Amino acid sequence: ALVRIPSVYRPGDPEATGTSNLRASLERVLAGKAPDAMAVQKYDIRRPESDGGGFEERYWSPLNSPVLADDGRVLCIIHRVEDVTEFVRVSRRGELERQRSEAWRRRSEATELEILRRSQELDAANRKLRQVNDSLRSEIAERNQAEHQFRQLLESAPDAIVIADRDGRIVLVNSQAERWFRYGRGELVGQPIEILVPQSARGRHAGHRAGYLAAPRARPMGSALDLYGLRKDGTEFPVEISLSPLETEAGIVVTSIIRDITERKQAERVRAELRARFEAVAETANDAVVSADDRGEIVYLNPAAERIFGYPANEAIGQPLDLLMPERFHAPHREGL
């Protein structure tokens, strides 16, 4: 028969199943006549009042072994119990640490994956940025090269070049413009273009500029007009001007190529004076005086030539010089020309 098993455990503790488990183990020993190792049992014990009373959580590892008679009957059961409370506590701490480590490992792996993803994204962004920077550096280098070539061309031009925006403000000049107008570059940039126009023409210039911007194209300025530039010292000099529009990122600008024609005008005056003197002498000469150009066409007949050849000047001028020669001399004369 089974002995009565006392029930000394923490009242109301749902985990305290030691009494029922022990009874089941003893029954298995009786039935099987073989030792039965029970699972670890939670079985709290009461503390002495001197230690504060109450219950202390304890865990036990029971082993029930039968003692058999010669005929195989179970004489008694040896109940051996080992206190494994500390082992359980250590195990629990280990499990808790393992769970914490596992959670930390999962968080670490997730963090590492996120860092890797961000690193890959950053690497891709850096590669793209490097490509953009390389492209930008190449574009800047090409632009600087083009600008350098443009400035070389600008500075080597034999004519003055003045570039103004659509508001008529000077944005760029070359060294020839500095020499001809006798301004420093810093004195011209930002100034209205009219600073280079004589006072007598300034009133009309703004209207001419607006008309040009209404239909900008490359063309000479003021065809058939005598144009003059104004130097810093107030002196004027004759010029020819060609205008050309240019589209830029800042908007349209107008390039003025200005040629100083002072020497040409002086040569024209000298030729006009010489021609006047020549005609003054020829008009009173008794002999015929005829002039032809390099194409052999008559450009002048004096009154004596009109009388001698019988051609009025207005009929002869522009005709071949052969008009005034016998036909037999025409061919040799033309060959001589």
Side-chain angles (χ1 to χ4, degrees), residues 296 298 319-327 329-331 333-334 337:
I298 299 170
Q319 297 297 320
L321 192 58
D322 291 347
L323 178 70
L324 307 180
M325 296 183 183
E327 189 172 346
F329 294 112
H330 285 186
H333 174 70
R334 285 195 298 271
L337 293 175

Side-chain angles (χ1 to χ4, degrees), residues 63-117:
L63 176 65
N64 297 312
S65 302
V67 177
L68 302 178
D70 293 338
D71 57 2
R73 291 180 297 106
V74 176
L75 295 176
C76 63
I77 298 175
I78 300 174
H79 178 67
R80 184 179 66 84
V81 180
E82 183 180 358
D83 187 347
V84 293
T85 302
E86 189 62 29
F87 174 77
V88 171
R89 289 173 179 172
V90 171
S91 297
R92 282 184 173 179
R93 286 197 298 269
E95 177 63 19
L96 181 60
E97 291 298 324
R98 187 192 67 77
Q99 291 176 355
R100 289 177 178 174
S101 297
E102 182 66 19
W104 176 255
R105 184 186 62 78
R106 287 196 296 269
R107 285 197 298 271
S108 297
E109 289 177 352
T111 302
E112 289 174 0
L113 289 174
E114 181 65 16
I115 291 173
L116 177 60
R117 185 180 66 82

Side-chain angles (χ1 to χ4, degrees), residues 26-79:
L26 294 175
E27 289 177 351
R28 287 193 297 272
V29 172
L30 289 174
K33 299 179 181 181
D36 183 77
M38 297 175 60
V40 173
Q41 303 295 308
K42 182 177 186 297
Y43 196 87
D44 296 348
I45 62 173
R46 190 184 297 274
R47 291 194 192 94
E49 293 298 327
S50 60
D51 292 338
F55 288 85
E56 179 182 347
E57 185 180 79
R58 300 294 287 271
Y59 292 89
W60 312 87
S61 177
L63 176 65
N64 297 312
S65 302
V67 177
L68 302 178
D70 293 338
D71 57 2
R73 291 180 297 106
V74 176
L75 295 176
C76 63
I77 298 175
I78 300 174
H79 178 67

Side-chain angles (χ1 to χ4, degrees), residues 118-137:
R118 294 291 179 87
S119 177
Q120 291 172 339
E121 291 178 354
L122 182 60
D123 187 56
N126 285 336
R127 285 198 303 271
K128 186 173 182 180
L129 182 60
R130 285 194 295 271
Q131 292 173 353
V132 171
N133 286 339
D134 291 343
S135 177
L136 183 59
R137 280 194 293 269

Side-chain angles (χ1 to χ4, degrees), residues 20-317:
S20 59
N21 291 340
L22 176 58
R23 183 179 297 277
S25 176
L26 294 175
E27 289 177 351
R28 287 193 297 272
V29 172
L30 289 174
K33 299 179 181 181
D36 183 77
M38 297 175 60
V40 173
Q41 303 295 308
K42 182 177 186 297
Y43 196 87
D44 296 348
I45 62 173
R46 190 184 297 274
R47 291 194 192 94
E49 293 298 327
S50 60
D51 292 338
F55 288 85
E56 179 182 347
E57 185 180 79
R58 300 294 287 271
Y59 292 89
W60 312 87
S61 177
L63 176 65
N64 297 312
S65 302
V67 177
L68 302 178
D70 293 338
D71 57 2
R73 291 180 297 106
V74 176
L75 295 176
C76 63
I77 298 175
I78 300 174
H79 178 67
R80 184 179 66 84
V81 180
E82 183 180 358
D83 187 347
V84 293
T85 302
E86 189 62 29
F87 174 77
V88 171
R89 289 173 179 172
V90 171
S91 297
R92 282 184 173 179
R93 286 197 298 269
E95 177 63 19
L96 181 60
E97 291 298 324
R98 187 192 67 77
Q99 291 176 355
R100 289 177 178 174
S101 297
E102 182 66 19
W104 176 255
R105 184 186 62 78
R106 287 196 296 269
R107 285 197 298 271
S108 297
E109 289 177 352
T111 302
E112 289 174 0
L113 289 174
E114 181 65 16
I115 291 173
L116 177 60
R117 185 180 66 82
R118 294 291 179 87
S119 177
Q120 291 172 339
E121 291 178 354
L122 182 60
D123 187 56
N126 285 336
R127 285 198 303 271
K128 186 173 182 180
L129 182 60
R130 285 194 295 271
Q131 292 173 353
V132 171
N133 286 339
D134 291 343
S135 177
L136 183 59
R137 280 194 293 269
S138 178
E139 182 179 341
I140 291 174
E142 291 176 0
R143 183 177 298 181
N144 289 341
Q145 178 65 18
E147 182 177 348
H148 178 68
Q149 292 174 347
F150 171 74
R151 289 188 177 275
Q152 280 187 320
L153 179 63
L154 196 72
E155 295 301 326
S156 62
D159 300 321
I161 297 178
V162 178
I163 301 177
D165 60 21
R166 64 179 304 108
D167 296 324
R169 295 280 175 179
I170 298 171
V171 297
L172 187 64
V173 298
N174 68 347
S175 55
Q176 197 71 297
E178 292 181 283
R179 285 193 291 271
W180 287 359
F181 289 97
R182 298 174 186 172
Y183 282 99
R185 197 164 304 205
E187 296 177 286
L188 289 175
V189 173
Q191 296 297 320
I193 192 70
E194 282 77 17
I195 193 175
L196 307 179
V197 178
Q199 190 67 41
S200 59
R202 287 184 186 178
R204 301 185 301 275
H205 191 266
H208 293 326
R209 180 162 48 80
Y212 177 80
L213 288 172
R217 59 183 176 83
R219 64 173 177 81
M221 177 180 175
S223 299
L225 296 178
D226 288 332
L227 303 177
Y228 290 87
L230 179 66
R231 297 189 181 97
K232 182 179 180 180
D233 60 9
T235 58
E236 299 179 10
F237 62 103
V239 295
E240 282 183 349
I241 303 175
S242 295
L243 303 176
S244 178
L246 179 64
E247 285 287 348
T248 69
E249 294 178 355
I252 190 170
V253 297
V254 179
T255 301
S256 302
I257 300 177
I258 305 168
R259 177 166 296 175
D260 184 349
I261 57 172
T262 300
E263 294 183 359
R264 186 201 304 172
K265 288 292 186 179
Q266 291 174 345
E268 289 176 355
R269 283 196 297 271
V270 170
R271 286 196 298 271
E273 291 173 0
L274 292 175
R275 183 178 182 83
R277 293 177 186 176
F278 167 76
E279 291 181 357
V281 174
E283 290 293 313
T284 59
N286 294 324
D287 298 324
V289 178
V290 180
S291 296
D293 60 18
D294 56 0
R295 294 173 298 181
E297 294 180 358
I298 299 170
V299 295
Y300 175 76
L301 278 82
N302 70 342
E306 291 180 296
R307 291 193 304 272
I308 293 172
F309 292 103
Y311 289 100
N314 60 346
E315 292 183 10
I317 291 175

